[in-house]
Amino acid sequence: MLDLDRIRKDFPILTREVNGKPLVYFDNAATSQTPQQVIDVIVDYYSNYNANIHRGVHALSQEATDKYEEARQIIQKHFNAKHAHEIIYTSGTTHSINLVANGFSALLKKGDEIIVSALEHHSNIVPWQMLCERTGAVLKVIPMNQNGELEISVYDTLLNNNTKLVFVNHISNALGTINPIEHIIEKAHQFGAAVLIDGAQASPHIKPDVQALDVDFYVTSAHKICGPTGVGMLYGKEAWLKKLPPYQGGGEMIAEVTFEKTTYAGLPHKFEAGTPNICGGIAFGAALDYMNSIGFNAIANYENELLEYGTEKLLEIEGLKIYGTSKHKTSVISFNLDGIHPYDVGTILDKLGIAVRTGHHCAQPIMNYFNIPGTVRASFAFYNTKAEIDVLVAGVKKAKMMLS
Ligand SMILES: *Cc1c(COP(=O)(O)O)cnc(C)c1O
């Protein structure tokens, strides 16, 4: 059982008003809110030990380096990576994916095949299309069904000895579907293909174990897990990270530089050119500590309760259709009101202080599949309440009355 009163007090933003109404924040799939514990870490960094890392012999630089590397270990433990140097700091999921896609440019040839899923975020489609253009590799797509689930039997037939890479998100940000990544990884490995899992939408809800999954790459952004924006991570198996060439050249990523030849630093520094988001990395660790202090089992159970409650109450509204009805899903409800544009619903909800996302959620292929311009998406976090869902339901009823 979660102590909601205590948890909500950790998030100062939840007490503010929007348009004269108490804020109801249901846009957690876009970015989560930040608890005071993480805000304090950010303030402490800039107040007490702001310095560049790995460079100075002076005390502040050493303190910043220590905290930054401690945070890397927190991330390592959280995802259960074997080595801390298998955790690469990036600016977020998008950066992590591009880093891997760029690296594979050197490893793929014409006729090789890459498999992505129909449920992907644009950040997990476009880099692969660019990679295919560069290398002559071919992109194949695992189709989806009306429930918003992947057609896994089709996936099995897409795999063959030319398959070099498979890219699937753990949980769809547009529909909330939890994909069967264990099966996807195991099957891909039978053909020697590497698997990258986009965990941006999964990490706020579940704690993945990258060694148990035997996944080759796992990526996420701190801002989806109560951390700050502009920082995230790439987990990669050591052997893969050694094989991939560096993404960006610059300071920190070299062993020795002359004009004739540069040798690269070891892991993780090979992929961390330039001054990173030091404070962000430290706050990322603090955010994981915070989430773990609440507990991912308790979070998942409570969010399931919110999902069930919200689904039931919203479906009582006549003419409301929910997209994404898999039995395996997280607390994301994507919906439309019959004959009403999602943007108009979102605008009225905003007037009532309710923050939802409207549009295609960076997943246009999914919207094309359902033949809709977009949806209204309410996504719940562990600090939301059933009372807030009641406010949403009343707001949607009001929007329906005003717009039909
Ligand atoms: C949010 C999200 C991304 C993009 O994350 P950025 O932090 O914007 O790089 C990618 N994939 C999924 C599934 C997401 O939810």
Side-chain angles (χ1 to χ4, degrees), residues 93-113:
T93 302
T94 304
H95 176 191
S96 302
I97 293 171
N98 278 281
L99 189 162
V100 176
N102 181 75
F104 268 91
S105 300
L107 306 179
L108 295 186
K109 57 179 191 317
K110 204 168 161 16
D112 283 343
E113 295 177 5

Side-chain angles (χ1 to χ4, degrees), residues 235-251:
Y235 159 78
K237 279 185 188 163
E238 185 183 53
W240 275 115
L241 293 178
K242 282 188 168 159
K243 210 181 287 181
L244 294 187
Y247 181 39
Q248 291 179 319

Side-chain angles (χ1 to χ4, degrees), residues 92-94 121 123 171 173 198 200-201 221 223-224:
T93 302
T94 304
H121 190 277
S123 74
I171 292 179
N173 70 304
D198 169 358
Q201 207 54 240
S221 301
H223 72 93
K224 302 266 171 108

Side-chain angles (χ1 to χ4, degrees), residues 79-83 86 208-215 235 237:
F79 292 97
N80 195 32
K82 195 165 173 194
H83 307 289
E86 291 175 321
D209 179 332
V210 292
Q211 287 189 78
L213 286 167
D214 194 26
V215 67
Y235 159 78
K237 279 185 188 163

